[in-house]
Amino acid sequence: MKEFTPESFRLDGKIALVTGASYGIGFAIASGFAKSGATIVFNDINQELVDKGLKAYEEAGIQAHGYVCDVTDENAVQELVKKIEEEVGVIDILVNNAGIIKRIPMIEMSADDFRKVVDIDLNGPFIVSKAVIPSMIKKGHGKIINICSMMSELGRETVSAYAAAKGGLKMLTRNIASEYGEYNIQCNGIGPGYIETPQTAPLRTEGHPFNSFIISKTPAARWGTTEDLMGPAVFLASDASNFVNGHILYVDGGILAYIGKQPQ
Ligand code: NAP
Ligand code: GCO
């Protein structure tokens, strides 16, 4: 049992893979890890995004390792993990961040669109976790953090596929925690509230009713920023959380606790 010290929150000597981390939440979480001492590895869907990400990390003073890989392609993911282990080292921390959303009324949504969201948001985390767990077992420790959502708990119009995927990701998190906890692998989730990223940009346009709606549903009375997620992610990636397992940490400014501000 490691003695608790302030160093327990550090990530020095750890290698972290954050999927889909050229920008947005993934980039912020990876940046927080880097500030805490970790070596950063990330993938994204194409070389243009990886190059964009490498430039952004460099501008932030972070020497990251970037790879092109689609998280839904199991062969490509298995090859990616092997390549990372050869070129950087064994992955200590995995953040399953890559994800998409399609906002379409359910009865108008094609089965292909539904499948695509579930494939990336749920099958992807399964595929990448399956690829990294064997080496974590050999190494005697590992941290997996799945980026869930308010939609892991709540539904809303037009996001049926995304809610189904993120609800499933909550239970995949709990199942990985259950199945691999005995190998000193902790698997937890982070459930961001409504965060200012390109993914939510369509909801934040000037005068969009959703913008004021979210502010009325959030006790913090603001949208979250990607920086709000850095500390919780570092905590779940560090030794300070070695007995936290199967937990979804909602970083939502209090949305899930709040009935919402009475209309004035
Ligand atoms: P984002 O800005 O859209 O970034 C998602 C990243 O994942 C993009 O770089 C995207 O590339 C990449 N990606 C998509 N499909 C991929 C695939 N098959 N393989 C590899 N990479 C892929 O999203 P975000 O807002 O940062 O969200 C990141 C995660 O947080 C997602 O899982 C999202 O569901 C979750 N989340 C977001 C919020 C929020 O309010 N923003 C709240 C709760 C949870 P492309 O640019 O090509 O799409
Ligand atoms: C939406 C939003 C949300 C956020 C996030 C909330 O359309 O409702 O995109 O789904 O992305 O998942 O936690």
Side-chain angles (χ1 to χ4, degrees), residues 6-206:
E7 294 306 299
S8 301
F9 290 95
R10 295 283 306 169
L11 305 178
D12 300 284
K14 298 288 174 59
I15 294 169
L17 168 61
V18 185
T19 65
S22 294
Y23 60 89
I25 287 174
F27 178 84
I29 287 176
S31 302
F33 286 177
K35 289 176 182 186
S36 304
T39 295
I40 300 308
V41 183
F42 74 101
N43 71 296
D44 220 309
I45 196 73
N46 58 50
Q47 192 60 51
E48 184 187 353
L49 277 172
V50 170
D51 292 344
K52 170 185 170 183
L54 286 170
K55 186 169 182 293
Y57 284 112
E58 190 181 0
E59 286 168 357
I62 299 166
Q63 192 185 354
H65 303 262
Y67 298 87
V68 176
C69 184
D70 177 345
V71 295
T72 66
D73 180 340
E74 183 162 28
N75 291 333
V77 168
Q78 292 282 342
E79 285 310 306
L80 169 70
V81 171
K82 283 197 191 86
K83 195 168 184 185
I84 291 169
E85 291 184 356
E86 287 162 7
E87 297 179 358
V88 186
V90 172
I91 294 161
D92 299 291
I93 302 159
L94 166 65
V95 179
N96 285 306
N97 166 77
I100 66 167
I101 192 168
K102 289 183 184 291
R103 300 182 182 96
I104 305 167
M106 195 189 89
I107 61 173
E108 296 169 23
M109 187 177 223
S110 70
D112 283 349
D113 272 343
F114 191 95
R115 286 191 193 98
K116 184 165 175 63
V117 173
V118 172
D119 202 18
I120 295 168
D121 294 7
L122 180 56
N123 295 346
F126 158 73
I127 287 168
V128 184
S129 300
K130 176 184 168 186
V132 305
I133 284 172
S135 294
M136 287 181 170
I137 291 173
K138 286 193 194 105
K139 202 167 185 181
H141 67 256
K143 295 282 187 178
I144 298 174
I145 300 169
N146 293 323
I147 306 301
C148 296
S149 161
M150 294 285 94
M151 276 57 221
S152 296
E153 302 292 343
L154 303 169
R156 86 175 186 86
E157 300 79 3
T158 76
V159 296
S160 60
Y162 184 82
K166 292 299 187 178
L169 186 56
K170 173 174 76 171
M171 285 315 302
L172 178 63
T173 301
R174 290 178 174 164
N175 212 76
I176 292 171
S178 304
E179 198 163 355
Y180 297 101
E182 67 179 288
Y183 302 103
N184 191 28
I185 294 170
Q186 292 85 47
C187 181
N188 293 287
I190 286 178
Y194 281 83
I195 311 294
E196 294 174 345
T197 72
Q199 191 247 50
T200 56
L203 304 173
R204 290 181 283 109
T205 52
E206 189 60 38

